[in-house]
Amino acid sequence: MKVLKFGGTSVGSAENIKTLLRLVGEEKKNNNPVVVLSAMSGVTNLLTDMAEMAERGEDYDAHLKEIEAKHFAVIRALLPAAAQNPVFTRLKIFFNELEDLLQAVTNLRELSLQTKDQILSYGERCSTFMISHIASQNIGGSLYVNGSELIKTDSNFGQAKVDTELTELLINNFYQENKDQVLFVTGFIASNAAGRVTTLGRGGSDYTAAVWGAALNAEEIEIWTDVNGMMTADPRMVKKAFSLPELSYTEAMELSYFGAKVIYPPTMIPAFMKRIPIVIKNTFEPDFAGTYIKSDVKTSNLPIKGISSIDHISIINLTGSGMVGKAGFSGRLFSLLSREQINVVLITQSSSEHSITFVVKPTDASQAISLIKKEFELELDAKKLELPEVENNLAVLAIVGENMKRTPGMSGRLFSALGRNGINVRAIAQGSSEYNISVIISAADLSKAVNAVHDAFFTELKRTLNVFCLGTGNIGKTLFNQLKEQMPFLAANNDLQVKVTGISNTRKMTFNADGLSLENWETELNTDGEQADLAGFVAKMKALNLPNCVFVDNTAAEQPIEFYQGIFESSISVVTCNKKGNSADYAQYKSFKDTARKFGVDFYYETNVGAGLPIIRTLRELMMSGDKVARIEAILSGTISYIFNNFKGDAGFYETVKEAQELGYTEPDPRDDLNGKDFMRKMLILARDAGYPLEASDVKIDNILPDACLNAASVEDFYSELQANAAYFENLKNTAASEGKVLRYIGKLEDGNVEISLQMVDDSHPFYMLSGSDNIISFTTDRYKTRPLVVKGPGAGAEVTAAGVFADIINVGTLNK
């Protein structure tokens, strides 16, 4: 036979009770089950509130009427009129008794634990009596059982301890007399030797089911709730959490102890002692297999089974030389707390024995401090102990799993995930069994921490990157299109999910922690977005406190760069195509690099030089592998490349520049390209990445244009000056042609010096055959000495630049997985 326990949600409405009865009816075909029931959802809270209101002398009548109405509505819905009266009568007696109790509390202005247990017992008594009678009409052969008459405990009201031997005897005798019926048993409540009602503490109905299951040597104990078994994490916090098919008793107890509310830890002890499987099932998805908790668990390839947490805790730090080498000090401390019923969640002690840190509920913290001050008064007066310190607003995160014992690197993976997301660990504890590693963190970081750790351990799931994009021009729009098209590939081949969580331009900004739609992001931004505010955008990104965040700067503006430092310090990676940050003061460039390294995040800017060409990455990898760069030569302006590649034969310089502008290769004022400043920024970034602390003023630039062209008052005047200086440019072209050479505007880094000049190169030079608007760069190194390493391709355009930004984003998501 089986013991079936149904929680408050499962008995919370007429519709849910119908489902419950269907499940019980199906089980009855095999064997009569024992059915343990909780109070209807919300009723225990109402009873608690009523008891406390009565103690304060407040009116609780509305709550009492609400409880009555809740039960009476179910009776009217599920029982025929002829069968309703006996149930109404009995429930009315229960409610009258409850009202008398509450009135007594009001008169005395006193609420003892014993009285509170009696008040709370009416939740289970009412629901179980009601449902047993409804079951008699639907499935027949049903009996209401007041569990308090059969489960015997001590007199520790509120959390009584079961007298196992006597209880099993009473349950067995009762069951043998009534096994031809389906027994509907009140959960949660028991009684002491004097017959006074006691309760079994939080999760007491689960405990009742386990006690009955153990007493009757049941085949299994089924806990029917409103979730699909025990999950890898709290699904309200982690959207990617999934159900676990099975857990060992130890794993389930560890997860439950650290906050998993599906099952209460003591529940498993009676089942564990007799090796009875516990099954967590979903009343509303009965066909789902659920989670089996048992002893003979199959070997799993999951590194951990789950992540659990307690979201509000306090830690107490006790330090002082009086603890060092003092035998029995810890025993004295924790015996003191135990005597006063203060539960210690976690303990950690320094190897020097100079400090002890332990975790308690926030409601117990002040009492614990008072007890310690009183118990260790002499040590405190003698300065052998410092005054105990309390830290609040903290949380416990625990990873649990038997495989941790056999898998190296578990701690490293945990702390890497936390550190990379800027989550500070206040204390650490690991049991000798190695089934659990627990850390204390800020409560404000808990959601981010659980998601980050879940991503780190369950690698078969898609790792999520939360991307905040600044700029919706050509590059930004193209990037969103590329992301949308590439999502299935990333999921299938890189186990990566990129969520665009925030978008801003100069007019509007919008956010969605679950990810903005890449199908209609423009509509969301323009219709639902708020007024753009760069400081507000960055502040909101930080406030959302999501794991694995990336700030993407797709602008060419100065203002975003002011926020890079603070973004790094918030443990958020930066991807940027904005070269102004890296080409400003060297001190700023170095600060960005150092801060990113310090906070364990990425700073990727491949598109600062050569758009989507792998130039920055190639240089970085050459240096990381120990190669020495002797010389770098480059053409890094697509505009200038196009002009000199087409300034040949009969083409004039004026006509070539004009054509480049008409094709969109130049800025509205071509001098912004031809003055070499943008080229200079790119060479400066390369020099800095090569290890040279140069400033912009250290770069020597030879002008392509005569001064008259550069200093012209307008674009129209500029073109006039180009025509006036046609002979100058023709002479350059003809000289080069006469020597079998071509004109190239080349940047060169050698011996720490950077210069950009117009040169004539012959067919032995790698830049001789350049065409179109391509960029090209050659690296001469110790390993590439006789034949330089050359990277060549399109160095401008929205598609290739967006692709470079895309690649940087993916590197954030995959290189650190």
Side-chain angles (χ1 to χ4, degrees), residues 402-454:
E402 292 186 353
N403 268 2
M404 290 166 57
K405 190 171 187 177
R406 296 181 288 273
T407 310
M410 291 293 98
S411 298
R413 201 184 300 188
L414 169 65
F415 295 117
S416 175
L418 295 174
R420 185 169 175 77
N421 283 280
I423 298 160
N424 186 36
V425 174
R426 312 298 296 275
I428 305 162
Q430 180 174 12
S432 58
S433 66
E434 296 185 45
Y435 288 170
N436 173 316
I437 302 175
S438 305
V439 294
I440 309 296
I441 59 175
S442 167
D445 287 333
L446 181 59
S447 178
K448 177 165 76 167
V450 174
N451 277 277
V453 172
H454 198 274

Side-chain angles (χ1 to χ4, degrees), residues 307-323:
I307 305 159
S308 197
S309 60
I310 304 173
D311 53 3
H312 292 294
I313 56 97
S314 297
I315 63 174
I316 296 177
N317 298 307
L318 198 58
T319 61
S321 59
M323 290 188 281

Side-chain angles (χ1 to χ4, degrees), residues 60-72:
Y60 48 78
D61 195 51
H63 281 10
L64 186 57
K65 283 184 168 58
E66 183 180 346
I67 293 174
E68 287 185 13
K70 200 175 181 76
H71 288 81
F72 289 174

Side-chain angles (χ1 to χ4, degrees), residues 460-702:
E460 69 280 6
L461 301 176
K462 312 296 178 270
R463 185 175 189 234
T464 300
L465 281 184
N466 290 290
V467 177
F468 295 82
C469 289
L470 197 62
T472 59
N474 287 337
I475 296 170
K477 288 179 180 177
T478 306
L479 174 64
F480 294 150
N481 286 333
Q482 291 177 354
L483 281 170
K484 181 180 67 176
E485 292 170 6
Q486 201 68 1
M487 284 294 189
F489 178 86
L490 291 176
N493 296 277
N494 294 78
D495 294 327
L496 188 65
Q497 177 188 14
V498 179
K499 287 197 305 187
V500 178
T501 314
I503 300 175
S504 181
N505 55 28
T506 55
R507 300 172 302 282
K508 294 274 192 173
M509 64 183 187
T510 188
F511 301 88
N512 187 334
D514 294 325
L516 293 158
S517 168
L518 293 180
E519 295 284 348
N520 61 348
W521 64 267
E522 285 187 271
T523 303
E524 287 189 47
L525 180 64
N526 296 324
T527 305
D528 304 326
E530 55 191 289
Q531 184 175 348
D533 170 25
L534 182 53
F537 183 79
V538 173
K540 177 74 170 180
M541 174 179 68
K542 294 177 183 178
L544 284 172
N545 207 24
L546 297 171
N548 307 319
C549 285
V550 188
F551 176 77
V552 179
D553 180 5
N554 285 324
T555 75
E558 300 275 1
Q559 293 85 351
I561 295 156
E562 299 171 12
F563 294 92
Y564 285 10
Q565 189 79 17
I567 290 170
F568 290 133
E569 290 171 356
S570 297
S571 297
I572 297 173
S573 296
V574 173
V575 168
T576 180
C577 62
N578 187 345
K579 64 182 73 71
K580 291 181 179 175
N582 282 327
S583 60
D585 294 344
Y586 177 78
Q588 176 177 277
Y589 163 88
K590 188 173 188 304
S591 178
F592 288 166
K593 303 280 277 192
D594 291 346
T595 308
R597 189 181 305 112
K598 176 181 176 182
F599 286 87
V601 292
D602 294 312
F603 181 32
Y604 290 145
Y605 46 90
E606 185 63 68
T607 50
N608 278 194
V609 180
L613 295 177
I615 294 173
I616 297 288
R617 189 172 300 119
T618 299
L619 175 58
R620 183 190 303 124
E621 290 172 358
L622 286 171
M623 297 185 66
M624 286 175 62
S625 67
D627 205 353
K628 299 288 189 296
V629 176
R631 182 171 63 255
I632 296 174
E633 291 183 287
I635 295 175
L636 297 173
S637 168
T639 302
I640 298 174
S641 178
Y642 178 85
I643 289 170
F644 283 109
N645 287 338
N646 289 276
F647 180 44
K648 57 189 176 182
D650 295 332
F653 197 73
Y654 164 84
E655 290 80 11
T656 305
V657 173
K658 195 75 172 173
E659 180 185 19
Q661 185 180 29
E662 289 168 356
L663 291 171
Y665 286 121
T666 76
E667 296 293 334
D669 186 340
R671 288 173 294 181
D672 291 340
D673 297 295
L674 293 168
N675 63 17
K677 287 185 178 176
D678 187 65
F679 196 166
M680 177 275 294
R681 290 191 183 100
K682 296 174 181 178
M683 289 301 299
L684 183 61
I685 293 168
L686 282 175
R688 288 173 171 177
D689 276 11
Y692 298 103
L694 300 181
E695 301 290 355
S697 57
D698 296 324
V699 180
K700 181 183 176 185
I701 303 176
D702 288 345

